[in-house]
Amino acid sequence: MPKVGITTTVPVEVIYAAGWVPVDLNNLFITDENPQSLVEEAELAGYPRNLCAWIKGIYSIALKNRDIRTIIAVTQGDCSNTHALMETLQLAGVEIVPFAFPYDRDSDLLRLQMEKMMSYFGVSWKQVGEAKERLDRVRSRVWELDRLTWAENRVGGWENHLYQVCCSDFNGDPERFAAEVDEILKERRSAPARKEELRLGYIGVPPIVGELYQYLEERGARVVYNEVQRQFTMPFETPDLVEQYRLYTYPYGIFFRLEDICREAARRRLDGIIHYAQSFCFRQIEDLIIRQKLGLPVLTLEGDKPSRLDARTRMRLDVFLDMLR
Ligand code: SF4
């Protein structure tokens, strides 16, 4: 089956309906045996040093995986650097399929974008609807994993992050992924409830430093809400696919995202929030809005390259947790 690269969550139902395999290039980059070297390769090719490491990693991993000859470029609703990233990949012979989330969540425009994508992949609404039913069966398991995290305290922050983030492409095989989640659910349901005293939310793009979750748990705090990762699971009860991608908050403005964040912060009884901002990312600017609008203590963390947690970040986390206590 042909593969199609994605750089963020897109209507993946269209891809599965067409019998293609989606590959989230972010996941491929960060799980590479040496992600740091991928960033350096992009810099050697001419990517600027003062540019987000995710973009550089995606560039190199796309070139490394020569079986991915087509990539969907989200030209609106994701990253301002995507345009140039796609141009450099196009230069290397990759076919680029554009997709745009309308800024104002206009359902007609979103439907049109989805239909253009369907036309590229040669599928009908009926086929796409069937793919949605197939994927929703998998998503519902991950929703349960999330519930076990915050309502029953049986799942750690890293696992919550990992299984939710994988819902962007279902690791290329939804049924196999579902079987993996079933195994974890079985184990965690019979595990004793966890006892961390502080409940944290993590908002912003997924971290480039995975060690964060473990570090927090060693210090008596646990992430019980991963904002963007949860959005990748489409946690919305709607049979309408266009509406599903309207309810998905990540591609739209910060104020729409904040509605979801505030709702979940109250429901999950959060003590504080970590706002992760990637170095050189335009989303860093939104931190000032988040700080004004969230009625909770916020720690803003900045990450750059894929590496371990540095001493400064560890110290800032320690101080934040002490303050929350
Ligand atoms: S972290 Fe920011 S700059 Fe980097 S890829 Fe994501 S949206 Fe773009």
Side-chain angles (χ1 to χ4, degrees), residues 119-161:
S119 148
Y120 177 87
F121 285 98
V123 289
S124 64
W125 275 114
K126 182 171 180 295
Q127 289 170 296
V128 172
E130 287 163 3
K132 172 172 163 55
E133 282 175 23
R134 176 186 173 199
L135 297 182
D136 280 354
R137 282 194 289 275
V138 186
R139 288 176 177 132
S140 64
R141 291 160 155 103
V142 185
W143 300 342
E144 171 62 4
L145 190 89
D146 187 34
R147 194 193 65 78
L148 286 177
T149 310
W150 67 269
E152 294 195 22
N153 299 321
R154 294 181 198 278
V155 177
W158 166 252
E159 277 181 346
N160 181 278
H161 154 86

Side-chain angles (χ1 to χ4, degrees), residues 26 52-55 58 78-82 205 250 278-283:
N26 295 283
C52 164
W54 284 104
I55 291 291
I58 289 172
D78 183 26
C79 177
S80 53
N81 294 311
T82 298
V205 296
Y250 177 72
Q278 181 69 30
S279 297
F280 312 116
C281 176
F282 72 98
R283 293 182 188 275

Side-chain angles (χ1 to χ4, degrees), residues 309-324:
L309 270 184
D310 59 56
R312 180 171 169 267
T313 303
R314 285 166 190 253
M315 205 165 65
R316 294 190 65 221
L317 285 167
D318 291 347
V319 172
F320 185 59
L321 298 183
D322 284 348
M323 187 205 76
L324 292 180

